[in-house]
Amino acid sequence: MATFKKSGGLRELLESMYSVIALLFILVACVELCDAAAAVDVYRLIQYDMSGSPFGSRFAALNHHAASLRFPPGADLSRTVLIIPLREMNMTFVREYITQKKPLGGLLFLLPEVLSFKHGGNKQVYEKEKMKKLLAELEQLLVHSNIPYPVYFAFENDDIDTVLTEIKKNDAMGQPATATTGGYKLVIPTAEPKKVASPTITNIQGWLSGLKADGDANQLPTIAIVASYDTFGAAPALSVGSDSNGSGIVALLEIARLFSLLYSNPKTRGRYNLLFGLTSGGPYNYNGTQKWLRSFDQRLCESIDYAICLNSIGSWDNELWIHVSKPPENAYIKQIFEGFSNVAEELDLKVGLKHKKINISNPRVAWEHEQFSRLRVTAATLSGLSVAPELFEGTGSLFDGRQYVNESAISRGVKLVAESLAACFGRAQGAPRCQAYHLGRL
């Protein structure tokens, strides 16, 4: 929570619709300072280390005067917080200040309400896409920089718009805000953040046991369905990852529900074990997946015929991609691709195959299935993305909200995976898929 305090004699308290605790804090500040104040929810820029190098911002506390992009030429901004609405942002200016590490007290970026529009005309759709591209560029700049001052995000609202209008007026008059000239101060009274020495990695798994034929003493083969549940964005509190990878998680849970119904009846239980895994640390080199795999005993590893990893399947139109590390000629890869292709044709969808060899000397993996491949377990990633995103790119972001996810795309993805698995089971048991395993009735 950030507080704007007026230091020029205005005795009007701006309306606030926030919590009782926040409102009480503001009232106390007004009594003590005889100033006006407005409270807004703010969200801090991420901080993280990569190979020992710091990125993002290590700073959180603020108590500086606020200014707009209309600040007087030559003004000293070393103790000033610049408030920049995304719709007014000059990307060249922001990039220059950050890359050249020019002195600045802090940054507050205002995100427009248009980013949360669920419906609207063509103009709204156009503006939303424009803001999305601009925000994506800003995020990439912020998460790949080491910034020596606090950086925050907030959403536009009536309170902050009123404050910003006054700040712009003062800046246009050529009078920078100081303790003597008045203006607004942005106050965030918080302790400086501490590094998390050992992040907690939590993986969740489920298991459906297959049914052996009478007299079959062999270990049943296993198929794994996996999705990573973490996301990454410039502001962790705002990065919900609806597509990357909320869509994969939703699909996995629905597939687990469908097959739990099938497996509850011995007549429709497949001769495969099904292993479901929700893994942590996806944006961070799929570290949770690696930890999960290394916890398997040898018998389980050897029983896995292949794994299907689900990633970003909520924003595709008519084509999904199967990403693999092993050559397309591999027997299991051929089985996976042919199974998906046959079902996709029935559903009037397209499925493409992308082969990318693993670079053993590079510790970073582009896709989750590569962690399986490193342990010699056949795996593939099903995704709406045709190319693996770069490090911390397209893995959640501030614009990856529910309004950008196509629920129909997720439903079609679920049907594609479930029907492909059911067809595989039908072939394994010599039963026609439509007779014993068609999931349309469930």
Side-chain angles (χ1 to χ4, degrees):
M1 181 76 71
T3 305
F4 285 96
K5 295 193 292 190
K6 188 75 165 66
S7 54
L10 178 66
R11 304 179 192 277
E12 173 190 1
L13 178 64
L14 299 177
E15 268 191 3
S16 176
M17 298 300 292
Y18 299 100
S19 67
V20 174
I21 295 175
L23 187 57
L24 179 63
F25 171 79
I26 296 168
L27 291 172
V28 170
C30 292
V31 169
E32 291 180 350
L33 302 172
C34 295
D35 295 330
V40 295
D41 288 321
V42 293
Y43 307 90
R44 183 171 164 264
L45 175 67
I46 196 170
Q47 69 175 72
Y48 66 97
D49 290 346
M50 182 63 64
S51 301
S53 299
F55 292 93
S57 172
R58 293 296 193 266
F59 302 91
L62 270 178
N63 190 358
H64 294 323
H65 278 89
S68 70
L69 287 176
R70 298 181 185 178
F71 62 86
D76 179 11
L77 302 179
S78 59
R79 293 187 60 79
T80 299
V81 181
L82 276 183
I83 303 177
I84 305 178
L86 186 65
R87 63 177 77 253
E88 300 175 11
M89 187 175 67
N90 182 327
M91 195 65 205
T92 303
F93 168 83
V94 174
R95 188 178 298 278
E96 178 184 313
Y97 254 81
I98 290 177
T99 57
Q100 297 182 16
K101 298 191 183 300
K102 292 187 176 183
L104 196 61
L107 279 171
L108 174 61
F109 293 102
L110 300 184
L111 307 179
E113 288 183 351
V114 72
L115 288 175
S116 62
F117 281 176
K118 295 182 180 179
H119 305 286
N122 291 335
K123 183 177 179 181
Q124 289 176 329
V125 172
Y126 170 77
E127 185 178 0
K128 185 168 65 173
E129 289 303 314
K130 181 182 175 183
M131 292 298 102
K132 179 180 176 180
K133 291 178 181 178
L134 192 57
L135 183 56
E137 186 178 358
L138 175 63
E139 275 198 281
Q140 284 301 299
L141 172 64
L142 296 176
V143 300
H144 288 94
S145 302
N146 179 14
I147 304 175
Y149 44 78
V151 179
Y152 283 92
F153 297 88
F155 286 99
E156 294 174 341
N157 60 36
D158 291 342
D159 287 344
I160 201 167
D161 287 347
T162 301
V163 170
L164 185 57
T165 299
E166 281 203 53
I167 291 171
K168 285 180 177 179
K169 235 183 256 184
N170 292 341
D171 289 347
M173 292 170 61
Q175 275 202 329
T178 65
T180 55
T181 61
Y184 278 91
K185 292 186 80 174
L186 198 153
V187 181
I188 303 178
T190 184
E192 294 301 339
K194 295 181 179 180
K195 180 180 178 181
V196 178
S198 181
T200 302
I201 293 178
T202 303
N203 300 309
I204 305 167
Q205 73 177 43
W207 180 267
L208 290 175
S209 297
L211 184 66
K212 290 185 179 182
D214 292 339
D216 185 2
N218 296 320
Q219 181 180 7
L220 284 178
T222 301
I223 294 177
I225 311 297
V226 187
S228 178
Y229 65 78
D230 279 331
T231 191
F232 178 93
L238 293 177
S239 304
V240 297
S242 294
D243 185 26
S244 179
N245 189 32
S247 61
I249 296 300
V250 168
L252 181 145
L253 294 175
E254 177 62 6
I255 292 166
R257 185 189 71 83
L258 290 171
F259 279 95
S260 68
L261 293 175
L262 280 175
Y263 274 49
S264 65
N265 185 341
K267 293 181 179 179
T268 54
R269 190 185 302 179
R271 292 178 190 167
Y272 277 89
N273 299 317
L274 289 179
L275 173 63
F276 297 93
L278 299 179
T279 58
S280 178
Y284 307 94
N285 212 38
Y286 295 102
N287 285 336
T289 310
Q290 183 187 54
K291 178 182 177 182
W292 183 53
L293 291 173
R294 294 190 183 281
S295 71
F296 291 175
D297 60 37
Q298 187 175 354
R299 279 173 56 83
L300 176 56
C301 268
E302 291 177 350
S303 77
I304 298 176
D305 274 6
Y306 58 84
I308 301 295
C309 303
L310 306 175
N311 181 289
S312 302
I313 60 170
S315 57
W316 59 288
D317 292 322
N318 199 44
E319 185 168 19
L320 281 169
W321 297 93
I322 297 176
H323 298 270
V324 296
S325 302
K326 291 190 175 182
E329 297 79 23
N330 177 275
Y332 281 124
I333 297 301
K334 287 179 70 175
Q335 178 183 336
I336 294 171
F337 182 62
E338 288 176 4
F340 274 82
S341 297
N342 292 337
V343 174
E345 188 175 350
E346 293 179 16
L347 299 176
D348 197 25
L349 304 174
K350 292 182 180 178
V351 174
L353 185 67
K354 292 273 188 174
H355 172 227
K356 173 185 166 293
K357 289 184 65 176
I358 294 178
N359 182 358
I360 300 298
S361 62
N362 185 358
R364 181 184 172 248
V365 297
W367 296 106
E368 186 168 18
H369 73 264
E370 294 182 16
Q371 291 289 15
F372 285 83
S373 298
R374 284 173 181 262
L375 295 179
R376 302 184 184 280
V377 177
T378 302
T381 294
L382 182 70
S383 177
L385 305 174
S386 61
V387 179
E390 294 297 323
L391 186 65
F392 297 146
E393 177 187 36
T395 52
S397 304
L398 299 184
F399 53 79
D400 188 6
R402 186 168 181 176
Q403 66 272 24
Y404 287 102
V405 172
N406 184 340
E407 294 179 10
S408 172
I410 299 177
S411 296
R412 286 178 291 157
V414 167
K415 192 168 183 63
L416 175 65
V417 176
E419 292 278 5
S420 299
L421 290 176
C424 171
F425 296 173
R427 289 193 302 271
Q429 297 180 203
R433 177 174 60 89
C434 59
Q435 176 186 334
Y437 295 97
H438 191 16
L439 301 175
R441 298 192 300 269
L442 299 181

